[in-house]
Amino acid sequence: MAGFRNGRGRDNRPPQQQPQQAPYGYNAAPPPHPQQQWQQPPQGHQQQAYGEPEYFGDPYGRQGHQQHAAAANNPGHTQMFSVDDPYGQGGPYAQAGPAPAPVPTGPRLPWKQLLSGIVLRPADTFLQMRDYAVWGPALIVTFLYGLLAIFGFEKAREEALNATISSTIPYVLMTALGFVLGGLILGAVTHTLARQLGGDGSWQPTVGLSMLIMSLTDAPRLVFALFLGGENGLVQVLGWATWLAAGALFTVMVSRSHDLPWPKALGASAIQLVALLSLIKLGTL
């Protein structure tokens, strides 16, 4: 009884000490697991650890790769490696701040070359001027066109000629300002539709060039309408022909300014074309 009370008769072996953790940087052997018995894998097949890739066609296997990596990290066996940058310049977020402005495709054209280029070489002109604002020529040409546009309609011309000069001048000036304002609104609509369809152009060149196209393409019809009247057959034919020419120029301009295919460019300028047809070409202004 005394032996049992003093702990005699039990297992007098000293208590098992906990394994001490190896210092950092040294590989310590894992604690034994006597309750787990690993089955030897069959010959010719390598056991793949969880979360580690299997080395196919490698004569050295996973163990050989681990030994090679351990040897490469030892002093005197530094392993050289490089990190590839698929974006260049240190990645897409390396440069802080806004994106750089697009490089213009050519120098700014003077107003004479700009006006003649819209008629003679529209594709090259629109591509070269896609990054430049053309407010000066656009506002001046549209305002002058609006001063004469009122005399291209039968009723408006009769009212302007029969009225006094003091009342005709404000009427003509208001009509010219109305054409300028209408050109700005229609050009903004065309630019907005082009951006909605995937375009990347700036709004200032788009609006300014659209105003120039609207005024220049209707100039031949307006010249004959001043002398023959807006209801003359020749004037009507010229109106339809110049409207088709305006549609072609609008399509080329939006395509070059916004990098869009011609169907999308034509769709972006559709509202402006319909407005010009109903207000100017058909004489419903």
Side-chain angles (χ1 to χ4, degrees):
M1 297 296 292
F4 285 99
R5 291 178 184 177
N6 294 332
R8 298 175 183 176
R10 298 180 182 178
D11 192 0
N12 294 328
R13 290 177 299 177
Q16 185 177 359
Q17 297 181 358
Q18 298 292 334
Q20 298 181 358
Q21 185 176 1
Y24 179 77
Y26 296 89
N27 296 326
H33 297 280
Q35 67 276 10
Q36 296 182 1
Q37 296 182 1
W38 297 93
Q39 185 177 0
Q40 184 71 20
Q43 187 177 2
H45 296 277
Q46 293 181 353
Q47 183 178 0
Q48 182 180 357
Y50 179 76
E52 296 183 4
E54 183 178 358
Y55 297 90
F56 295 97
D58 191 354
Y60 300 100
R62 177 170 55 88
Q63 184 177 3
H65 276 273
Q66 293 178 353
Q67 294 177 359
H68 176 72
N73 293 328
N74 290 332
H77 298 81
T78 304
Q79 183 179 3
M80 299 180 62
F81 64 93
S82 62
V83 179
D84 296 333
D85 187 4
Y87 299 98
Q89 302 295 330
Y93 302 100
Q95 298 179 356
V103 180
T105 56
R108 181 192 295 270
L109 294 176
W111 68 272
K112 292 182 179 179
Q113 298 182 8
L114 174 62
L115 299 181
S116 61
I118 293 176
V119 179
L120 300 178
R121 49 185 187 90
D124 297 336
T125 301
F126 294 144
L127 182 61
Q128 186 171 350
M129 296 298 293
R130 60 167 295 175
D131 299 319
Y132 298 105
V134 291
W135 291 122
L139 295 176
I140 293 174
V141 171
T142 306
F143 184 79
L144 294 177
Y145 168 76
L147 291 176
L148 300 176
I150 190 175
F151 299 100
F153 303 98
E154 295 291 340
K155 295 180 180 181
R157 181 175 59 179
E158 292 178 358
E159 293 177 358
L161 294 178
N162 295 331
T164 60
I165 297 178
S166 59
S167 60
T168 302
I169 293 178
Y171 184 61
V172 173
L173 292 177
M174 292 299 295
T175 305
L177 292 177
F179 271 92
V180 173
L181 182 60
L184 290 172
I185 295 175
L186 293 176
V189 171
T190 300
H191 169 74
T192 303
L193 291 177
R195 294 301 295 264
Q196 293 294 329
L197 294 176
D200 57 354
S202 303
W203 72 276
Q204 298 186 27
T206 304
V207 175
L209 292 174
S210 65
M211 295 173 65
L212 289 175
I213 293 173
M214 179 188 69
S215 303
L216 293 177
T217 53
D218 196 51
R221 185 202 65 84
L222 182 59
V223 171
F224 285 91
L226 292 176
F227 300 99
L228 302 177
E231 298 180 358
N232 185 270
L234 178 61
V235 175
Q236 294 291 329
V237 173
L238 286 176
W240 283 101
T242 54
W243 181 76
L244 294 176
L249 290 179
F250 276 124
T251 303
V252 175
M253 185 270 294
V254 176
S255 177
R256 293 296 186 273
S257 299
H258 289 267
D259 292 331
L260 290 175
W262 72 266
K264 292 186 177 181
L266 180 59
S269 57
I271 295 180
Q272 188 166 8
L273 287 173
V274 172
L276 294 179
L277 178 63
S278 59
L279 298 178
I280 299 176
K281 304 299 182 179
L282 299 181
T284 58
L285 181 64

